[in-house]
Amino acid sequence: MHIRQPIVAVLGHVDSGKTSLLDRIRGTGVQGREAGGITQHIGASFLPTETIKEMCGPLYKKLEQSENKVPGLLVIDTPGHEVFTNLRSRGGSAADIAILVVDVNRGFQPQTNESLKILQSRKVPFVVALNKCDQISGWRKSETKFISQAIKEQDASIQADLDQKVYDVVGTLSILGYKSEAFYRVEDFKSEIAIVPISARSGVGIPELLSVLVGLTQQYLQKRLNQDEKEPRGIILEVKDEVGLGQTANVILIDGIIKKENSIVVAKRDGVIVTKPKALLLPKPLDEMRDPRDKFKPVPQVEAAAGFKIASPDLEGVLPGSTLYVASNDEEIAKYTELIESEMKSVFVDTETNGVILKCDTIGSLEAIMEMLKRSQVPVAKADIGPVTRRDVIEAKAIKEKDRHLGVVLAFNVKMLEDAQDESETSHIKLFENKVIYSLIDNYNAWVEEDSANEEDAMFAELTPISKFSFMKGMVFRNNNPAVFGVRVDVGNLKHKIPFMNMKGHKVGYIHQLQLDKKTVSTAKTGDEVACSVKDVTIGRQIFEEEVYYTFPPSHEAKQILKKFMHKLSSEEQEVFNDIVRIQREIEPVYGY
Ligand code: GDP
């Protein structure tokens, strides 16, 4: 059996100490250079066995007896769930095991929960690093790097305090369905999650953390790590333009060997790219780097697990998070092209069914959110990568007419184009934006719940309000682009972003903005005198001083008002609404039906 090194990812809440932990692991490795040190990869660092052995000291003895010794650990350099979600692989993860960092004094925080949910959905085993032990009040500094020893050196009250903090985590994890225990009390590593108290700052506990990681992977991940008969494949982490190299992709090779003469098969948004790499690159060791711009060293081949760079002008548009296949003949190219096409089909969603519209920044976040929406039983009509466009909002609008709770846009880490923003305001399409995956879904679910509770009021509030208002004589502030003029609200409430008509029933345009006493307001009430701006009209052409206007609900809204909401209008509003319907029916007999 040829076992490769496991790929390790670090996750956890902001400020829990993920970066410090990675620095500490790498730093200790660098200091242990004589024993093998660490090798820098692209996006990852490799700790060979000798280094781990030196760091773990006597703890390594037991690990050495395993028949399936792993040749070290490949630790992904960028912590956090953003990179982790892109480390995807056939519905699972390219990471073999993860370290979930928890701040000992803060316990579980929002992103700890989010990380856990992602680990769960990708079925990645993990170890909890209970970090910042040195910050437990009263903690005594000691020389040892072994946490088991350091705990013994603490006062009894501090030991009890740490125990309590460990049990808090055990409690939280048990609510979430996991059995866990401090690593020194774990009896069965397969069914219990090990909690290792550490300090990324002092380095205490790192030996235990590493030995638990190595022990777990040697015992339970042999099949995954065994390289016999594995097809070479990797995952694209990032695509970027590199000075002097042009388009490059950072890749983690999960299995097998890639040679420079092989073809690679990768996905872009609208198809498959087949290309031969111009170069396979690894970082140059520091002592070989004379010019800092000359960071990479071309190599003829790379063996898994490894982080490396591919340079090729054809890589433009390749999707981060997509699988990279390695082909040595036409038959394999055809096979992998088909595989990628079907993979992409299962990731992107575009259906005619009712569901939410989801836009994400990467294929990894898209997949993770889809999975969670599925668990929350929220159907998805469309899921894609890229900014929120006007078309997305219009699609949501059509869905909303059939199901008001599904006609929404969920956006994860993407921009909203300006015309999409306008459209969502005028059409009352809810947009949920969040950079924390589970908050995005929680906020949506909370809104659905709240909105269902007072659905009638919520529906009425979204309709074009019924109002009558007049253009005040002499109140012309600007003729056009946009036209700005003073109006008095005669009946009802006037709002911005709503359509209005003249007495003949012709639609004039949309009220763009309202200003009361020079302050922008969204609503003006009966009797208010406000400045009103309207785009695409000119005073003296489409609109005139002293004219009287009505707000103009579209036909389907008029129908809802007639059927369900007349009782919500005041008698004056009812009168105005009856006028609107009468005038419109002279032009369009089916208005409001
Ligand atoms: P990240 O956001 O999870 O990557 O967290 P960082 O590694 O940037 O750490 C956040 C802050 O906590 C920094 O100020 C670190 O110096 C500090 N920190 C991290 N680990 C420890 C630790 O073990 N002990 C103490 N006292 N501080 C720590």
Side-chain angles (χ1 to χ4, degrees):
M1 225 183 331
H2 170 41
I3 302 273
R4 68 160 166 81
Q5 54 270 37
I7 301 167
V8 185
V10 177
L11 293 166
H13 192 77
V14 177
D15 280 348
S16 59
K18 301 179 295 292
T19 314
S20 307
L21 172 61
L22 280 166
D23 286 348
R24 172 60 62 179
I25 292 176
R26 284 182 304 221
T28 324
V30 171
Q31 284 155 18
R33 187 173 287 243
E34 280 150 45
I38 62 160
T39 321
Q40 201 50 50
H41 285 221
I42 303 283
S45 305
F46 173 54
L47 281 93
T49 309
E50 304 87 87
T51 306
I52 297 172
K53 196 169 162 179
E54 195 187 81
M55 286 158 86
C56 296
L59 293 177
Y60 198 79
K61 288 237 153 59
K62 229 170 129 190
L63 301 171
E64 224 164 6
Q65 287 156 13
S66 167
E67 277 173 28
N68 307 301
K69 270 197 302 249
V70 298
L73 296 171
L74 186 77
V75 185
I76 301 293
D77 275 342
T78 315
H81 59 270
E82 287 84 358
V83 165
F84 183 82
T85 53
N86 266 338
L87 274 169
R88 51 185 289 287
S89 152
R90 288 188 194 144
S93 178
D96 301 299
I97 192 160
I99 303 173
L100 181 64
V101 185
V102 177
D103 184 325
V104 69
N105 286 310
R106 293 177 192 263
F108 269 56
Q109 291 173 282
Q111 281 164 314
T112 327
N113 289 313
E114 166 150 343
S115 306
L116 196 69
K117 284 190 188 168
I118 297 170
L119 289 170
Q120 201 168 27
S121 73
R122 302 261 166 109
K123 301 187 183 72
V124 178
F126 64 95
V127 176
V128 173
L130 198 55
N131 190 31
K132 305 195 188 181
C133 276
D134 61 300
Q135 264 187 349
I136 293 177
S137 116
W139 183 268
R140 190 179 297 145
K141 257 195 192 164
S142 69
E143 289 302 309
T144 176
K145 289 285 176 249
F146 296 95
I147 189 72
S148 331
Q149 183 58 33
I151 294 174
K152 284 192 195 129
E153 291 172 21
Q154 305 300 318
D155 289 346
S157 66
I158 308 299
Q159 292 186 13
D161 197 11
L162 176 63
D163 242 4
Q164 187 51 51
K165 289 175 192 299
V166 169
Y167 274 114
D168 289 346
V169 173
V170 170
T172 311
L173 279 170
S174 96
I175 294 169
L176 299 167
Y178 290 101
K179 256 173 94 176
S180 65
E181 205 23 296
F183 74 97
Y184 39 82
R185 283 195 287 258
V186 171
E187 283 170 2
D188 175 11
F189 278 93
K190 191 156 193 168
S191 62
E192 287 168 276
I193 287 158
I195 302 168
V196 187
I198 64 158
S199 162
R201 178 159 292 174
S202 74
V204 71
I206 305 287
E208 281 95 340
L209 181 64
L210 291 177
S211 30
V212 168
L213 281 173
V214 171
L216 278 173
T217 52
Q218 289 189 162
Q219 217 173 339
Y220 302 113
L221 299 179
Q222 302 154 16
K223 220 166 132 192
R224 235 181 115 98
L225 302 178
N226 182 10
Q227 291 295 284
D228 299 340
E229 291 170 35
K230 286 264 166 77
E231 291 173 349
R233 96 199 138 93
I235 195 91
I236 307 272
L237 276 195
E238 199 181 353
V239 182
K240 58 178 175 183
D241 223 345
E242 197 83 56
V243 179
L245 293 173
Q247 283 296 330
T248 69
N250 292 355
V251 181
I252 298 288
L253 191 66
I254 308 169
D255 282 319
I257 296 176
I258 176 172
K259 298 192 170 110
K260 189 174 172 281
E261 61 271 22
N262 291 143
S263 291
I264 56 165
V265 191
V266 286
K268 54 179 185 178
R269 178 60 191 89
D270 309 305
V272 175
I273 298 173
V274 181
T275 182
K276 275 195 192 319
K278 202 168 72 180
L280 304 179
L281 302 155
L282 285 174
K284 253 188 191 164
L286 279 176
D287 47 1
E288 279 179 33
M289 209 191 313
R290 262 166 235 108
D291 183 346
R293 278 169 304 178
D294 188 19
K295 289 183 283 196
F296 308 107
K297 170 178 80 174
V299 290
Q301 68 171 50
V302 176
E303 197 171 328
F308 69 106
K309 201 182 246 313
I310 296 180
S312 162
D314 302 329
L315 290 172
E316 176 130 31
V318 168
L319 292 175
S322 64
T323 313
L324 168 132
Y325 291 101
V326 180
S328 6
N329 54 45
D330 287 351
E331 206 178 312
E332 284 180 358
I333 289 176
K335 178 172 99 182
Y336 293 131
T337 303
E338 206 173 300
L339 211 61
I340 285 185
E341 277 167 355
S342 76
E343 235 181 274
M344 287 299 114
K345 227 186 245 163
S346 69
V347 171
F348 297 113
V349 177
D350 194 358
T351 63
E352 299 290 315
T353 54
N354 285 349
V356 301
I357 308 276
L358 171 66
K359 294 304 278 278
C360 297
D361 58 342
T362 66
I363 192 168
S365 56
L366 188 137
E367 205 175 48
I369 295 173
M370 283 292 288
E371 172 71 33
M372 288 187 196
L373 287 171
K374 201 164 143 194
R375 271 200 257 166
S376 294
Q377 294 179 322
V378 179
V380 177
K382 180 169 146 182
D384 210 337
I385 287 177
V388 179
T389 63
R390 184 163 179 266
R391 230 189 99 195
D392 296 328
V393 178
I394 288 173
E395 280 180 39
K397 191 174 161 185
I399 291 163
K400 189 179 168 191
E401 281 175 21
K402 289 177 245 154
D403 184 331
R404 63 181 271 105
H405 291 146
L406 292 178
V408 300
V409 179
L410 305 185
F412 182 75
N413 236 348
V414 290
K415 287 207 190 93
M416 185 169 206
L417 302 180
E418 205 175 313
D419 54 353
Q421 184 79 43
D422 285 348
E423 185 62 47
S424 79
E425 281 175 20
T426 46
S427 313
H428 300 284
I429 294 303
K430 282 283 269 187
L431 171 80
F432 293 86
E433 276 178 294
N434 212 298
K435 287 193 175 166
V436 176
I437 291 180
Y438 98 119
S439 305
L440 181 72
I441 297 171
D442 276 7
N443 290 351
Y444 168 70
N445 285 334
W447 169 75
V448 170
E449 208 167 292
E450 192 188 317
D451 192 77
S452 313
N454 43 28
E455 192 158 338
E456 192 185 62
D457 285 347
M459 280 166 83
F460 180 68
E462 281 176 14
L463 300 177
T464 306
I466 301 306
S467 171
K468 179 177 167 185
F469 56 103
S470 12
F471 189 153
M472 292 187 291
K473 189 166 187 298
M475 294 292 187
V476 176
F477 306 124
R478 191 178 158 137
N479 266 323
N480 54 20
N481 280 330
V484 183
F485 53 101
V487 301
R488 189 184 44 252
V489 183
D490 303 315
V491 175
N493 290 328
L494 190 59
K495 281 193 185 164
H496 69 169
K497 316 269 184 199
I498 57 163
F500 68 104
M501 64 185 218
N502 61 22
M503 299 291 276
K504 291 197 190 107
H506 297 307
K507 181 170 165 181
V508 180
Y510 276 87
I511 293 181
H512 180 59
Q513 260 193 1
L514 292 173
Q515 283 197 346
L516 184 64
D517 299 330
K518 302 219 163 81
K519 277 197 202 95
T520 303
V521 291
S522 56
T523 309
K525 57 184 190 314
T526 316
D528 281 347
E529 294 184 351
V530 289
C532 149
S533 68
V534 181
K535 286 178 177 172
D536 305 320
V537 296
T538 301
I539 295 173
R541 285 219 190 121
Q542 295 91 349
I543 48 177
F544 304 90
E545 287 177 57
E546 293 188 280
E547 259 188 329
V548 174
Y549 304 111
Y550 290 133
T551 52
F552 183 14
S555 180
H556 68 273
E557 287 190 16
K559 180 175 161 185
Q560 287 188 53
I561 297 174
L562 284 167
K563 266 180 135 173
K564 283 194 252 176
F565 296 120
M566 282 307 270
H567 66 282
K568 285 193 169 275
L569 301 178
S570 69
S571 56
E572 280 176 313
E573 285 168 343
Q574 285 184 7
E575 225 170 275
V576 169
F577 180 60
N578 287 335
D579 281 349
I580 295 173
V581 173
R582 182 180 42 75
I583 295 170
Q584 279 309 316
R585 286 194 177 157
E586 276 165 27
I587 303 172
E588 180 58 67
V590 296
Y591 178 79
Y593 282 113

